[in-house]
Amino acid sequence: MIEALGLGKDFGAVRALDGLDLDVGEAEFFGFLGPNGAGKTTTVHILATLLRPTRGSARIAGHDVVRESLAVRKSIGLVFQEPTLDRDLTVEENLRFAARLWDLPGGTRSAATRIDELLRQFGLSERRDSPVRSLSGGMRRAADIARGVLHRPRVLFLDEPTAGLDPRARRTLWQFIRDLRAASGMTVFLTTHYVEEAEPCDRVAVLDRGHLVAQGTPAELKRAAGAGSLEEVFLARTGRPLAEADAAAAPPGRER
Amino acid sequence: MARAVWGIVAREFVRFLRQRGRLVSSVARPFVWFVFAGAGFRAMFAGPPGLDYPRYMAPGLLGMVVLFGAFLAALSTVTDRDAGVLRMLLVAPVPRGAIALGKVLGATLLGTVQALAVALILLPAARLSVTPGGAVLALAAVVLTSLAAGAVGLVLAATIRSIENFAGVMNFAIFPMLFLCGAFYPVRNLAAPLRALAYLNPLAYGVDLLKHALLAPWSAAGYGGELAVGFDFAALAVFAGLGLAAATPLLAREDGVTRAAFPGERR
């Protein structure tokens, strides 16, 4: 479903990503683990056609991310690290806006049905007429994910979906994502710097400073590194603890 | 794709209706000028019989409403980028040109609606009687000027990095456009260099058209439109077309999409 071959990206003289090979299968739950600044978001943005790769190539659902960007964007959903909803519009107005952008088939009636369904699924039915700015962080993120899956994409990219949320909101969100996967069978590509979020993935790729350092099922990775946790896998492969690498990288200013 | 363009236009309109302050100030602004500038300059203005300064200024004030209405609406794309909405637009399966078109048509709608609302009060207040032909020409002028101002505004919005540059935009774009459009004095009276600048200003052609439409009885005395109507239309169409073409690739610039592109830099 997602294939990348020798993918690389430079920003000026900075080599943000280099030699990335990926092969993610249909309905797979794929974790992309690494500290801040490792190149996770850069990878997601290349796969989502928002950035052009400097080297290599990638295909999503058989479509080339550079030459067939519209076809790629049709088959993916992307929930960005930062919010994308219009804070002055209500939850429902935002989803209606998205339904028009994604040209939901069958006219507005079927879009309305789909929006109702998602609002229920994400526990937002009672807040459908509230402006997004009045929602809690967890609810905003849930609405953003609802926006991302509105058009039933075959591949869903979740870029650090729980960043900045409290533990309770995080648990709720994970339940939504589990339900979503069970109901839809879509491929999910998750980036995270929390090992506990990568643990339930079918397969995990570990990224550090723009390079892939390990790839496999969590069990395989632990076995190969002789480690008891993914945290120790990162330490064994890079010589640094994940949390320390995270603190050393300039964290992107998420708050505004 | 038509649905996506419509979605973008509809969102602009809903946002506008929801921002009461913007609504009130956009309607009130021309009347502040009408009353205060009109009162001050009336005595200095020696126009032909029947044309006092507030009346002379009316077409220009409508142009000003279009400038603030359409230009500022297009400029709100900067806010879209800051708030993240632009990311949603860019990841939607919509060609970049359709996003630019949606933003410009949204700006056109807002500029036109505001200019019409103001015209309904301003023209009677200035005691300007409008012929049916003049009304049609004025409406066409307002729509096309909004389109051109929206397109130029979108180019600017796609170029500047943050709304913090807004004071610069006011000083170096909006005020020069306002004063070099023929709203307050005829363009032909300007010195050659300034006149050349005025002809680079889309608003000048819009205001010229509005003078054709509203000040026709005084055109023989030299206070109506200065350029041919067809030339004004062509110039506005060129600004709209070039603006759309230039804004489309700028909107999808990599540093506008992702913070990862410039680590450590605050957008």
Side-chain angles (χ1 to χ4, degrees), chain B residues 119-244:
Chain B
L120 285 180
I121 315 172
L122 181 70
L123 297 184
R127 281 170 293 113
L128 263 176
S129 53
V130 186
T131 61
V136 171
L137 183 59
L139 179 63
V142 162
V143 172
L144 201 57
T145 310
S146 296
L147 192 72
V152 173
L154 190 62
V155 175
L156 196 63
T159 312
I160 62 179
R161 284 192 150 222
S162 88
I163 205 71
E164 284 148 35
N165 294 338
F166 194 70
V169 171
M170 270 317 243
N171 287 331
F172 295 105
I174 292 185
F175 286 140
M177 281 172 88
L178 191 57
F179 287 108
L180 289 177
C181 75
F184 306 113
Y185 33 75
V187 171
R188 66 179 152 74
N189 289 358
L190 292 170
L194 281 181
R195 204 163 64 220
L197 269 180
Y199 289 135
L200 292 175
N201 175 8
L203 196 62
Y205 301 96
V207 170
D208 198 60
L209 270 181
L210 285 165
K211 286 183 179 171
H212 276 295
L214 303 175
L215 301 181
W218 299 280
S219 65
Y223 289 88
E226 298 173 17
L227 306 165
V229 170
F231 186 77
D232 285 332
F233 274 123
L236 288 171
V238 166
F239 276 109
L242 287 183
L244 265 176

Side-chain angles (χ1 to χ4, degrees), chain A residues 133-198:
Chain A
R133 69 167 69 252
S134 73
L135 300 186
S136 69
M139 285 181 143
R140 270 190 219 192
R141 192 52 60 92
D144 230 333
I145 297 178
R147 192 272 304 156
V149 298
L150 189 64
H151 57 297
R152 305 178 200 274
R154 298 178 68 187
V155 181
L156 176 65
F157 291 96
L158 295 170
D159 194 5
E160 309 254 5
T162 60
L165 297 184
D166 62 58
R168 210 168 66 93
R170 199 178 281 180
R171 273 197 304 277
T172 312
L173 209 63
W174 274 113
Q175 192 55 51
F176 288 146
I177 293 170
R178 269 195 296 274
D179 294 346
L180 206 61
R181 286 194 54 235
S184 66
M186 69 178 123
T187 306
V188 174
F189 188 99
L190 165 83
T191 80
T192 183
H193 60 279
Y194 298 120
V195 281
E196 65 273 19
E197 292 189 347

